[in-house]
Amino acid sequence: MNGLIQPGGLWVYCEQGPDGIRPVVFELLGQATRLAAAMKCAVTGVLLGGTGSQASDLAQAGADTVLCVEDASLVAADELRHTGELAALVQQYRPAALLLGATAFGRSLAPRLAARLGTGLTADCTQLDIDPETGLLLQTRPAFGGNLMATIVCPNGRPQMATVRPRVFTAPRRDPSRACRIVTERSAATGSPIELLGRVTLGAEAAIGDADVLVAVGQGIGSAENIALAERLAKKLGGALAASRPMVDSGLVPYVRQVGQTGKTVSPRLYIALGISGAIQHMAGVAAQTIVAVNTDPDAPIFQYAHYAVRCDCGAFLREMLDRIEEGE
Amino acid sequence: MKILVCVKQVPASNETRLDPVTHTIIREGAEAVLNPFDAFAVEEAVRIKSRCGGSVTAISMGIPAAAAMLRRVIAVGADEAILLTDRAFAGADTLATARTLARAVEKAGLPDLILCGRMATDGDTAQVGPMLAENLGIPHVSDVAAIESVDDSVLVARRLTDDGYARVRVRLPALVTVLREINVPRLPSVSGVLRGEACGVTVWDRAALGLDPAETGLKGSATRVVRTMRPDLSVQTVAIGGRPGEQAARLIECLRARKLIETEGRA
Ligand SMILES: Cc1cc2nc3c(=O)[nH]c(=O)nc-3n(C[C@H](O)[C@H](O)[C@H](O)COP(=O)(O)OP(=O)(O)OC[C@H]3O[C@@H](n4cnc5c(N)ncnc54)[C@H](O)[C@@H]3O)c2cc1C
Ligand SMILES: Nc1ncnc2c1ncn2[C@@H]1O[C@H](COP(=O)(O)O)[C@@H](O)[C@H]1O
């Protein structure tokens, strides 16, 4: 056992994507520093398939220690291999809690790992706290398509495991003076029954989960021409096009752009909803800082969620917006 | 090819009613349906069976009334159904659910392929599939948008990832969780409905599965819900009135003031 990592610590799984460590990891480290202060423990970032040179980034965002398994083949997103590596590390170092990003891969890996360790897991948390009396991690998440918030604890299983939605928390300001210790472990180097045959990376504009601005269209959009205008507005604002489910069902917009309970959860800074009624299943996927609703019906439920309510026809609104924004170029 | 589909009964609507005293969800009187995602898993199972031969077994852990849902799954092409029901299963979290399902799968005989929905719409966790695969010691592929090919020993799938799609090949037996874009479920035929009515549903309780009471339901769960509340949806809404041109101008002004947009141009 390496003396640098004490049992009872708070761990953050440092998932890597094609462009390096995923942004959600830094958001988690920010939360972890806050929680670790209450737990009176240290923060460890676990980096599978990474190198020590990536550690300084993690340190500047709050990691006290980076636990690194230096095996380049682990960069591949393989649930079985990552479960094996993480389970071995957890059994060796006994952390009190483990946070993972609720990315597609994180949400596939975390339940597998929790089942192997026989511990509890709370998916898609939007809030984390420490209970001052019990010291337990209070994990709050939406359920029933966002109709209800539930706070969940894991009294006995360890580590207490939670996945956290990307962009729910903001990444901490980097502190360049912070350094961390690096602990390197050898990989178990097991094979995997899953083989990657190929990838299709969708254009950045289709990655609605990462967009700062989303212009979303619903059944009130009126015409395919207006969808094209909405996409043009999205691009002008540096964002992407999104849609409600009926637009996807009718084949007008591809599924990767669907927002909602059965689509993606998005957390842009700005969400402009055009001709969307605001059904609970749609709003379950919208965790935006600012919502603009454009709708002709004054009683549309979307107005209850909107910071800016624009009672207007979508087509007219789009043309006026584009007119003004494009004139400035 | 032996295929098993995991199906769950969920409330038809997400509009929850809360007991004002206990803060728990009132389930009585709420209409229950097959979890929408599981309909895609059932359809995919039936399609694979029609290509490769074999059998489709549907399995569900739930209240006795879930037998009716299982009959409807038979009506659209499953061959048989197993219902796991026992008071001792109540209040299970995903860990206890997956443990109970795993024991039942072992009792029924490990199939070549297990299909699950991506998630259940009541809990939205998407955890039971991968947990079940782990308990059975088989690999899983989640968020599958298409099964490109499958035979007795390997399956090739297209899965949705954070960056697009990935094509993966997995050795069977394996578990796959499916997205709604995988297929369009068929409607039951009259003969199917009649077969569902005539077909018996196998019922197993805790004792039949040889599980200890401490391993199932609330007792067997690692997590506890300590508080539920209605989310605070109240926001300060600013109404932007006027003719469309004025509305666009005012909105651009507001968004610029909040540093939400940076474009130039006349407001
Ligand atoms: C289990 C389940 C899961 C679901 N998952 C999702 C999901 O993931 N995502 C999702 O989006 N939905 C989902 N739904 C569907 C959801 O319940 C709604 O049916 C859907 O969101 C409605 O889409 P909409 O707002 O585009 O259409 P509508 O509800 O038809 O709303 C159209 C709106 O446009 C307005 N309008 C009409 N004309 C104009 C105009 N000219 N200018 C401006 N406004 C206009 C209307 O006033 C209306 O408010 C799900 C449903 C179920 C049961
Ligand atoms: N009680 C259950 N009985 C059978 N299958 C279930 C049950 N709960 C969950 N599942 C399966 O696991 C999937 C994911 O469920 P969940 O983890 O609850 O979101 C569902 O789509 C079902 O295929």
Side-chain angles (χ1 to χ4, degrees):
Chain A
M1 160 116 25
N2 194 308
L4 290 176
I5 300 175
Q6 299 291 322
L10 179 52
W11 283 19
V12 171
Y13 169 73
C14 302
E15 184 187 337
Q16 301 197 70
D19 308 318
I21 296 170
R22 291 210 187 266
V24 66
V25 171
F26 299 98
E27 297 157 18
L28 290 176
L29 285 169
Q31 288 301 303
T33 6
R34 183 178 63 83
L35 298 168
M39 292 165 72
K40 299 188 178 55
C41 71
V43 175
T44 296
V46 186
L47 188 58
L48 302 182
T51 58
S53 63
Q54 291 166 290
S56 68
D57 261 0
L58 299 171
Q60 290 178 11
D64 300 302
T65 310
V66 171
L67 181 51
C68 201
V69 179
E70 283 189 344
D71 174 343
S73 68
L74 282 171
V75 170
D78 182 319
E79 290 89 346
L80 274 145
R81 292 197 61 203
H82 283 222
T83 297
E85 299 292 344
L86 288 169
L89 295 173
V90 162
Q91 271 145 13
Q92 187 179 349
Y93 293 108
R94 314 226 153 266
L98 169 61
L99 309 181
L100 304 91
T103 57
F105 181 65
R107 289 194 57 174
S108 178
L109 165 68
R112 179 130 211 152
L113 178 63
R116 182 158 311 176
L117 296 169
T119 190
L121 168 64
T122 308
D124 265 348
C125 295
T126 54
Q127 193 187 327
L128 295 170
D129 297 290
I130 300 298
D131 183 334
E133 273 158 41
T134 59
L136 290 175
L137 184 64
L138 299 172
Q139 309 159 46
T140 302
R141 71 180 302 264
F144 287 93
N147 252 309
L148 204 64
M149 299 299 287
T151 301
I152 293 164
V153 295
C154 175
N156 302 313
R158 290 294 176 274
Q160 306 160 79
M161 285 178 61
T163 64
V164 175
R165 293 187 180 186
R167 300 168 71 96
V168 165
F169 299 113
T170 47
R173 197 180 286 279
R174 306 291 166 88
D175 177 354
S177 69
R178 280 195 99 251
C180 68
R181 289 175 299 214
I182 299 172
V183 175
T184 309
E185 289 286 346
R186 295 218 344 215
S187 83
T190 47
S192 172
I194 300 177
E195 188 190 341
L196 180 67
L197 301 177
R199 281 180 192 290
V200 183
T201 306
L202 295 172
E205 73 269 23
I208 63 169
D210 288 334
D212 253 346
V213 176
L214 286 176
V215 178
V217 295
Q219 292 207 95
I221 191 68
S223 65
E225 187 202 339
N226 286 351
I227 299 177
L229 292 182
E231 183 152 29
R232 203 161 103 204
L233 178 64
K235 290 215 172 106
K236 292 283 172 217
L237 300 179
L241 181 80
S244 69
R245 178 163 132 181
M247 303 304 286
V248 173
D249 284 346
S250 60
L252 287 163
V253 179
Y255 175 68
V256 287
R257 294 184 192 269
Q258 182 185 320
V259 170
Q261 192 189 345
T262 48
K264 276 223 167 86
T265 297
V266 296
S267 27
R269 276 159 40 83
L270 175 61
Y271 191 80
I272 304 182
L274 302 170
I276 291 179
S277 60
I280 187 79
Q281 294 89 357
H282 182 81
M283 298 317 291
V286 185
Q289 249 172 50
T290 301
I291 296 176
V292 174
V294 180
N295 201 304
T296 42
D297 174 7
D299 297 323
I302 185 91
F303 285 135
Q304 292 165 24
Y305 302 87
H307 300 85
Y308 295 102
V310 184
R311 258 190 74 193
C312 183
D313 169 72
C314 292
F317 172 81
L318 278 167
R319 277 185 290 275
E320 294 291 348
M321 284 294 278
L322 283 165
D323 210 31
R324 281 171 170 68
I325 285 170
E326 289 176 344
E327 185 180 277
E329 291 174 348
Chain B
M1 173 133 197
K2 218 175 133 193
I3 308 168
L4 199 133
V5 246
C6 297
V7 293
K8 184 183 187 185
Q9 195 171 52
V10 297
S13 149
N14 272 329
E15 302 297 334
T16 54
R17 282 189 303 144
L18 284 190
D19 185 313
V21 181
T22 63
H23 301 292
T24 54
I25 296 157
I26 302 173
R27 297 215 183 222
E28 287 82 54
E31 194 200 336
V33 295
L34 171 67
N35 174 32
F37 278 101
D38 298 348
F40 304 105
V42 170
E43 176 65 27
E44 200 61 20
V46 173
R47 288 187 189 190
I48 294 172
K49 182 185 89 169
S50 66
R51 287 204 306 269
C52 306
S55 66
V56 175
T57 303
I59 191 163
S60 185
M61 181 183 99
I63 56 174
M69 169 197 73
L70 285 168
R71 288 182 199 287
R72 283 194 291 275
V73 171
I74 290 173
V76 288
D79 299 284
E80 52 170 3
I82 303 170
L83 176 62
L84 313 176
T85 189
D86 195 307
R87 285 214 165 272
F89 296 158
D93 70 356
T94 52
L95 197 70
T97 302
R99 186 184 294 130
T100 306
L101 286 172
R103 186 61 67 90
V105 173
E106 280 161 358
K107 185 176 161 80
L110 188 66
D112 301 296
L113 178 63
I114 301 180
L115 293 168
C116 285
R118 176 170 85 128
M119 63 177 197
T121 52
D122 53 354
D124 304 347
T125 75
Q127 286 176 186
V128 169
M131 284 180 163
L132 174 59
E134 172 62 26
N135 287 344
L136 294 168
I138 61 173
H140 79 273
V141 182
S142 51
D143 299 335
V144 166
I147 293 179
E148 292 183 0
S149 68
V150 56
D151 61 29
D152 287 340
S153 57
V154 288
L155 175 142
V156 175
R158 195 157 64 89
R159 72 188 295 191
L160 193 65
T161 69
D162 293 294
D163 314 294
Y165 288 98
R167 284 182 71 228
V168 296
R169 175 159 48 213
V170 62
R171 280 202 303 270
L172 299 185
L175 182 146
V176 164
T177 77
V178 304
L179 299 178
R180 56 186 301 279
E181 66 186 288
I182 196 165
N183 58 42
V184 179
R186 72 194 68 188
L187 294 171
S189 62
V190 174
S191 61
V193 173
L194 294 175
R195 214 165 53 80
E197 297 299 333
C199 202
V201 170
T202 305
V203 178
W204 289 339
D205 62 6
R206 184 191 57 75
L209 296 180
L211 281 162
D212 191 274
E215 295 176 291
T216 65
L218 191 60
K219 275 193 194 150
S221 296
T223 55
R224 290 276 178 283
V225 178
V226 288
R227 201 162 93 94
T228 53
M229 64 221 140
R230 290 225 177 265
D232 180 13
L233 299 174
S234 59
V235 291
Q236 289 279 5
T237 306
V238 177
I240 310 264
R243 282 181 292 112
E246 295 158 1
Q247 289 174 309
R250 279 193 54 207
L251 182 68
I252 290 173
E253 222 168 83
C254 294
L255 297 180
R256 250 188 221 147
R258 291 178 77 163
K259 300 224 176 329
L260 288 165
I261 60 175
E262 282 155 19
T263 52
E264 301 295 314
R266 152 174 77 99

